[in-house]
Amino acid sequence: MASGNDGLARAAGWMGLALLSFAALAVSARESLAAMSPAQFLFLRTLLGLPLLVGLGVLLAPGFMRTRRWRLHLLRNLFHYGGQLCWIGAIGLLPLALVFALEFTTPVWAALLALVFLGERLGRGRLVALVAGLIGVLLITRPGLQPFDAGMALGLLAALGFAVTMVATKGLTRHDSVFTILFWMLTIQLLLGLPVALWVWQPIGWSELPWLLVAAVTGISAHLGVANAFRHADATLVLPMDFLRLPLIALVGALCYGEGLDPWVLGGGVLILAGNLYSLRRERRG
């Protein structure tokens, strides 16, 4: 990890790439869903993205295909594939800012999963993060005050799938590089997605190709941006940068689709961020 202002500047640069990538990925999904299903979009995005990743891996990380954690990769990507399908489906049904706010609940579900299945200790910091996260979820979804529809259910299911992915990724990063994790993510996702995509396949035209290429590139650059940001700076600095995804996608939604930003959504997201930052700082102090 680089130190001082140099490390922070590098982290900010990588995080900037990730933020723009996530926004472009969401827009490409929204535009593509007019012509195809989420499963077909995810399959084609993966099909186009895998050769790009392999080319980068050959140049930057020789030997990136090797791994001994086959079972963990398979488990991770079963849930990641399901999470991505739900996330893309939610993008077609909800305002973009709401989809991203629901995605920010991922650490809440990851903490619960680690507590139940890994037996991790629930200290004061994690307890505060968990309570703040659950209150944030209630602020975002406001059960009883607004309809809990299919889009919201898909958004929360996506966050749950990403939570399992997050827990599995913690185990994989002890042994495998980011390129290795991404390579097996795309490879397994391609194999899982082929029969599903064929089942719902719709003919598409060449006009869809630019958006699919955008999705293929940004699906890789978003992951690389976040991973490298964490490599250059502490999580307590990177997380606030990552949170900028929410106002950024709200701006994109307003400019491109005339979507307004619900203050309850922003407030819930801020509360979730504050809880996670508090937990991280408590853990840093031991």
Side-chain angles (χ1 to χ4, degrees):
M1 183 183 293
S3 60
N5 293 331
D6 182 54
L8 184 58
R10 291 182 183 181
W14 282 109
M15 206 64 223
L17 173 65
L19 296 177
L20 293 174
S21 297
F22 280 122
L25 178 57
V27 171
S28 67
R30 172 71 66 82
E31 294 296 324
S32 298
L33 289 180
M36 66 190 79
S37 68
Q40 186 175 350
F41 169 78
L42 183 54
F43 173 76
L44 291 173
R45 189 197 89 179
T46 306
L47 183 65
L48 293 171
L50 185 56
L52 297 175
L53 180 72
V54 170
L56 282 175
V58 169
L59 291 174
L60 303 176
F64 66 96
M65 297 182 186
R66 293 194 294 269
T67 184
R68 295 181 179 179
R69 271 70 191 178
W70 302 104
R71 291 182 180 178
L72 192 52
H73 276 288
L74 181 59
L75 174 68
R76 177 188 185 274
N77 289 297
L78 281 169
F79 282 93
H80 192 249
Y81 175 74
Q84 286 195 97
L85 273 184
C86 291
W87 187 79
I88 295 165
I91 280 177
L93 298 172
L94 297 175
L96 295 178
L98 179 52
V99 177
F100 275 54
L102 291 171
E103 186 186 349
F104 276 115
T105 66
T106 295
V108 178
W109 313 126
L112 284 172
L113 289 169
L115 175 68
V116 174
F117 294 104
L118 301 181
E120 291 191 1
R121 188 173 59 87
L122 191 63
R124 179 178 172 183
R126 292 187 182 185
L127 181 61
V128 169
L130 192 56
V131 171
L134 292 174
I135 295 173
V137 172
L138 292 176
L139 288 176
I140 293 167
T141 58
R142 279 165 293 151
L145 298 178
Q146 66 175 357
F148 188 83
D149 55 16
M152 207 169 290
L154 286 173
L156 286 173
L157 284 173
L160 183 59
F162 294 153
V164 179
T165 302
M166 178 184 291
V167 174
T169 303
K170 286 182 180 179
L172 286 172
T173 51
R174 297 172 189 159
H175 309 281
D176 291 344
S177 69
V178 174
F179 272 100
T180 302
I181 293 171
L182 285 178
F183 171 74
W184 288 109
M185 179 189 82
L186 293 179
T187 301
I188 294 171
Q189 190 169 276
L190 194 67
L191 296 174
L192 290 174
L194 177 59
V196 183
L198 290 176
W199 182 263
V200 297
W201 194 269
Q202 301 175 47
I204 58 173
W206 288 104
S207 60
E208 309 305 325
L209 183 59
W211 287 119
L212 290 169
L213 287 172
V214 169
V217 172
T218 55
I220 295 171
S221 59
H223 284 284
L224 291 178
V226 172
N228 281 290
F230 277 108
R231 189 162 62 89
H232 289 293
D234 190 83
T236 55
L237 295 174
V238 175
L239 274 180
M241 298 182 208
D242 186 41
F243 181 75
L244 292 175
R245 272 197 284 160
L246 186 52
L248 175 61
I249 201 63
L251 179 62
V252 171
L255 293 177
C256 298
Y257 303 107
E259 299 173 354
L261 175 60
D262 188 334
W264 290 98
V265 171
L266 183 59
V270 169
L271 189 58
I272 294 169
L273 171 67
N276 283 319
L277 285 175
Y278 178 80
S279 177
L280 282 169
R281 285 169 180 163
R282 287 279 302 183
E283 291 186 13
R284 293 293 181 275
R285 290 200 299 264

